[in-house]
Amino acid sequence: MFEVLPYLEPDPILGLSAAYKEDSNAAKIDLGVGVYKDEHGNTPIMTSVAKAQKILLERENTKSYITPQGHQGYIDNMLSLLLGEKSPVLMADRVAGVQAPGGCGALRILAELIARSNEQARVFVSDPTWANHIPLMSSAGLQLETYPYFDKEKAGIRFDAMVDTLKTAGKGDIVLLHGCCHNPTGADLTNEQWDVVLELAQERGFTPFIDVAYLGFGDGLDEDAYGIRLLAENLPEVVIAASCSKNFGLYRERVGLAAIITEDAKTRDIVQGQIQSVARGSYSMPPSYGGALVDIILSDTSLKKEWMSEVNSIRNRMQSLRTMLVDKLEENGAQQDFSFLNTQKGMFSFLCITPEQVREMRDKHSVYFVGSSRINVAGINQQNVDTLARALVSVL
Ligand SMILES: Cc1ncc(COP(=O)(O)O)c(C=O)c1O
């Protein structure tokens, strides 16, 4: 029966990794895949995570199933991290939440739940957005719309155009927002722009859906939660998908959180049951391991402090890589202004060059990144930044 299905090309990012591996140029540079890399190009296990693994090994005495919602300690700790320890919505018992298999798992079950509640719901996603948002939302049967977000010519946010489009969204619609460190552009809303989004949601009645996969990689753990907390505290309903893949370096363990702020505690109970039933109908219950590690870290004052300081170092390092690249480009005589890279946040930015220039970077200089010109900033290091800057200047 399956022969009727069409052949699908592999994901371009996987093709890019394969091509990078095959390239024999010793000076090749990989700015493609979205994982954090240290100065030596490794994606290490964070020290706080390694310590938590030892604790878990000692502590765990069964491999029996965990509960359908996941580790409650993990959920509570993550909600405090995202919403703030004394969040009024937590105090009012207005938050439903389950541990999910990664940010993707969270996005998908939340999309299913939205479709269960309103088959006609439209999901407005930023143009551009993270490529996987499209299948994650549309596979649940949701109708997709876009709102303008990034202007490649000006290397900045098209906020007025975004506002104009969001004015067409209404009750029953969903607006998907990146909590911080927008992927792929690195261009984040300012606090004032978040304030405007709040006013729009209040006026129009749409439900914000915040995807947060890089908390702590932008300006800081609390600073990056500005938009989430603002909307959570001032709207009756907010949907949140969080990932621990990047900021805990737990990629392969698949740790995420699906949460919904509801209008009141009674609705919370309904939503909690419904979201667990969506999970039950797809993967039954989440894997235990990664959530247990995050729970250990966030429950232990000294481990939490250590993790926070590791997140701070990652953030500061990525910021310094941005500065280093901008300086090297200038040193190498770039006519184009790349200073926008310094004000953008997180792991990604668009270089705002053409697909032909991206291709030339790859073919002539063995620098690998996707055609949209999105680079993984963490792929830059002291050793390759000069080569990278020279290659870029030569294709401009
Ligand atoms: C914007 C965004 N959301 C969600 C995710 C989900 O990550 P994961 O499923 O690996 O936790 C990612 C990962 O790249 C992402 O960039």
Side-chain angles (χ1 to χ4, degrees):
M1 66 186 275
F2 302 113
E3 68 282 359
V4 298
L5 295 173
Y7 175 77
L8 297 178
E9 289 298 331
D11 190 321
I13 200 102
L14 299 180
L16 201 68
S17 294
Y20 172 79
K21 268 192 196 135
E22 273 164 29
D23 191 331
S24 57
N25 182 350
K28 63 187 176 180
I29 301 174
D30 178 14
L31 305 179
V33 180
V35 295
Y36 177 74
K37 288 188 240 170
D38 66 13
E39 190 54 29
H40 311 289
N42 300 322
T43 304
I45 299 176
M46 291 166 83
T47 309
S48 50
V49 170
K51 288 185 182 171
Q53 292 196 109
K54 285 200 178 128
I55 297 172
L56 185 59
L57 194 65
E58 294 279 308
R59 195 181 280 179
E60 199 174 51
N61 55 11
T62 179
K63 288 292 180 190
S64 177
Y65 295 118
I66 57 169
T67 57
Q69 83 270 21
H71 292 287
Q72 194 57 48
Y74 163 80
I75 298 167
D76 294 341
N77 276 315
M78 280 297 290
L79 288 174
S80 294
L81 190 70
L82 294 164
L83 301 171
E85 305 237 322
K86 295 199 173 65
S87 165
V89 285
L90 287 173
M91 304 287 177
D93 202 17
R94 285 178 44 211
V95 193
V98 299
Q99 182 183 329
C104 287
L107 285 158
R108 180 57 198 261
I109 60 169
L110 289 164
E112 296 276 349
L113 189 72
I114 291 163
R116 254 192 203 189
S117 317
N118 176 14
E119 273 183 357
Q120 310 303 323
R122 297 180 296 171
V123 180
F124 287 74
V125 299
S126 62
D127 175 20
T129 193
W130 178 47
N132 216 19
H133 276 155
I134 316 290
L136 282 167
M137 295 298 121
S138 54
S139 303
L142 297 171
Q143 191 190 320
L144 282 175
E145 304 273 341
T146 57
Y147 58 86
Y149 189 74
F150 189 74
D151 182 347
K152 265 194 175 175
E153 299 285 305
K154 297 197 182 108
I157 293 180
R158 303 174 60 196
F159 193 64
D160 290 344
M162 171 177 169
V163 168
D164 286 344
T165 302
L166 295 193
K167 280 184 181 161
T168 68
K171 196 160 170 51
D173 288 329
I174 301 285
V175 174
L176 185 57
L177 299 151
H178 296 230
C180 63
C181 306
H182 186 273
N183 180 4
T185 68
D188 277 355
L189 297 176
T190 61
N191 289 358
E192 292 68 32
Q193 288 170 333
W194 276 109
D195 295 345
V196 174
V197 171
L198 169 65
E199 279 167 30
L200 280 169
Q202 285 169 329
E203 267 166 42
R204 302 292 313 160
F206 60 74
T207 301
F209 185 164
I210 308 178
D211 178 16
V212 56
Y214 302 91
L215 192 80
F217 281 12
D219 288 322
L221 285 159
D222 283 321
E223 291 82 348
D224 291 353
Y226 178 86
I228 302 174
R229 294 179 189 177
L230 177 80
L231 301 192
E233 288 170 27
N234 293 286
L235 290 171
E237 214 171 62
V238 179
V239 182
I240 301 170
S243 164
C244 299
S245 298
K246 322 279 162 154
N247 55 4
F248 285 86
L250 282 169
Y251 310 87
R252 64 173 62 174
E253 304 301 351
R254 314 308 298 132
V255 204
L257 179 84
I260 300 192
I261 320 281
T262 58
E263 195 153 10
D264 48 42
K266 192 170 153 247
T267 318
R268 186 221 94 96
D269 292 343
I270 297 171
V271 171
Q272 186 67 38
Q274 284 285 340
I275 195 162
Q276 283 176 210
S277 123
V278 173
R280 182 95 179 115
S282 67
Y283 55 81
S284 199
M285 57 202 63
S288 166
Y289 191 69
L293 296 180
V294 173
D295 186 15
I296 289 171
I297 294 169
L298 296 180
S299 302
D300 179 308
T301 316
S302 97
L303 267 186
K304 183 174 177 185
K305 216 167 139 199
E306 186 163 0
W307 169 72
M308 287 166 93
S309 116
E310 289 184 273
V311 172
N312 290 347
S313 307
I314 291 175
R315 178 181 65 253
N316 293 336
R317 179 165 170 269
M318 287 195 297
Q319 196 51 52
S320 72
L321 294 173
R322 288 175 176 276
T323 312
M324 204 162 73
L325 177 60
V326 174
D327 292 350
K328 284 282 176 202
L329 284 165
E330 218 175 284
E331 254 174 53
N332 282 285
Q335 298 298 310
Q336 215 164 306
D337 179 15
F338 283 96
S339 58
F340 63 85
L341 292 170
N342 278 330
T343 56
Q344 294 177 345
K345 310 279 166 65
M347 259 168 59
F348 304 110
S349 270
F350 272 168
L351 282 180
C352 300
I353 60 173
T354 66
E356 293 71 33
Q357 288 167 324
V358 173
R359 184 85 215 175
E360 208 181 325
M361 289 284 280
R362 175 175 156 177
D363 294 347
K364 290 202 181 140
H365 304 281
S366 299
V367 182
Y368 290 78
F369 52 102
V370 279
S372 63
S373 85
R374 186 197 82 163
I375 57 161
N376 175 4
V377 173
I380 306 170
N381 57 45
Q382 308 258 9
Q383 272 69 50
N384 68 20
V385 66
D386 207 39
T387 315
L388 172 62
R390 272 187 280 115
L392 188 50
V393 170
S394 81
V395 305
L396 290 177

